[in-house]
C-alpha cells in the first residue's frame, strides 16, 4: 500500500481504540461513547421513545467524534466484534468528505492493545 496517513479503529458501540499506523511503534488512544444510563428511564412507552432518542443521539455524537478524527487520514481500517463499525462506515459513506479515504471494514473479536497494533500493522503492510 502506498505511503499516507493510516489509522486503525477497533470499536464497539461504547468505545473505540485508535491506532495510528506509522513506522514507529504504534500508540493507542481511547475514545469513549457517552455512557448510556437507563436507570431513570423506566415506565410508560413515552419514556421508552425518549430513551431511544437519547440513545440514538449519543450514538450519533460518538460516530461524529470518530468521523472528525478519520477525516485527517488517507486510509482507515474499522474493525471489532459488533455492527458499530458497519454503522460508522455507512455514516462515512453517506458524507462526501470521505470519498477519497480508503476505508476497510473487518470483523474481529475483542483484542488486547498489542493484538490491535499487530492487526493494524499487518493490514497496512500488505
Amino acid at each position: 500500500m502506498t505511503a499516507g496517513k493510516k489509522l486503525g479503529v477497533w470499536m464497539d458501540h461504547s468505545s473505540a481504540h485508535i491506532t495510528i499506523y506509522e513506522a514507529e511503534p504504534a500508540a493507542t488512544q481511547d475514545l469513549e461513547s457517552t455512557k448510556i444510563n437507563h436507570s431513570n428511564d423506566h415506565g410508560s412507552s413515552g419514556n421508552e421513545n425518549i430513551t431511544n432518542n437519547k440513545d440514538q443521539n449519543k450514538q450519533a455524537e460518538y460516530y461524529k467524534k470518530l468521523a472528525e478524527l478519520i477525516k485527517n487520514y488517507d486510509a482507515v481500517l474499522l474493525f471489532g466484534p459488533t455492527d458499530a463499525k458497519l454503522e460508522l462506515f455507512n455514516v462515512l459513506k453517506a458524507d462526501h468528505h470521505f470519498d477519497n479515504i480508503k476505508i476497510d471494514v473487518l470483523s474481529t473479536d475483542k483484542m488486547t492493545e498489542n493484538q490491535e497494533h499487530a492487526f493494524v500493522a499487518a493490514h497496512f503492510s500488505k
Side-chain angles (χ1 to χ4, degrees), residues 37-117:
N37 182 357
H38 298 292
S39 62
N40 295 329
D41 295 331
H42 300 291
S44 71
S45 62
N47 284 345
E48 185 175 325
N49 288 338
I50 291 170
T51 299
N52 288 338
N53 287 339
K54 286 180 184 178
D55 290 352
Q56 288 175 350
N57 289 339
K58 288 177 183 176
Q59 204 66 48
E61 182 66 27
Y62 173 54
Y63 293 154
K64 183 177 177 181
K65 288 178 188 176
L66 287 168
E68 283 298 312
L69 180 68
I70 288 169
K71 73 179 182 181
N72 298 312
Y73 290 85
D74 301 315
V76 177
L77 171 61
L78 303 176
F79 62 109
T82 67
D83 287 337
K85 62 193 171 297
L86 295 172
E87 294 167 10
L88 176 60
F89 177 75
N90 289 332
V91 168
L92 299 175
K93 280 299 165 189
D95 185 336
H96 293 293
H97 290 100
F98 298 92
D99 286 348
N100 295 323
I101 300 174
K102 182 178 181 340
I103 303 172
D104 294 323
V105 181
L106 297 172
S107 292
T108 64
D109 292 329
K110 179 85 172 134
M111 297 179 164
T112 66
E113 187 173 321
N114 287 339
Q115 289 171 323
E116 290 172 13
H117 293 179

Side-chain angles (χ1 to χ4, degrees), residues 6-24:
K6 299 172 185 160
L7 182 72
V9 181
W10 179 97
M11 64 182 298
D12 60 20
H13 285 97
S14 63
S15 66
H17 304 172
I18 312 300
T19 302
I20 299 169
Y21 177 74
E22 298 173 339
E24 298 294 316

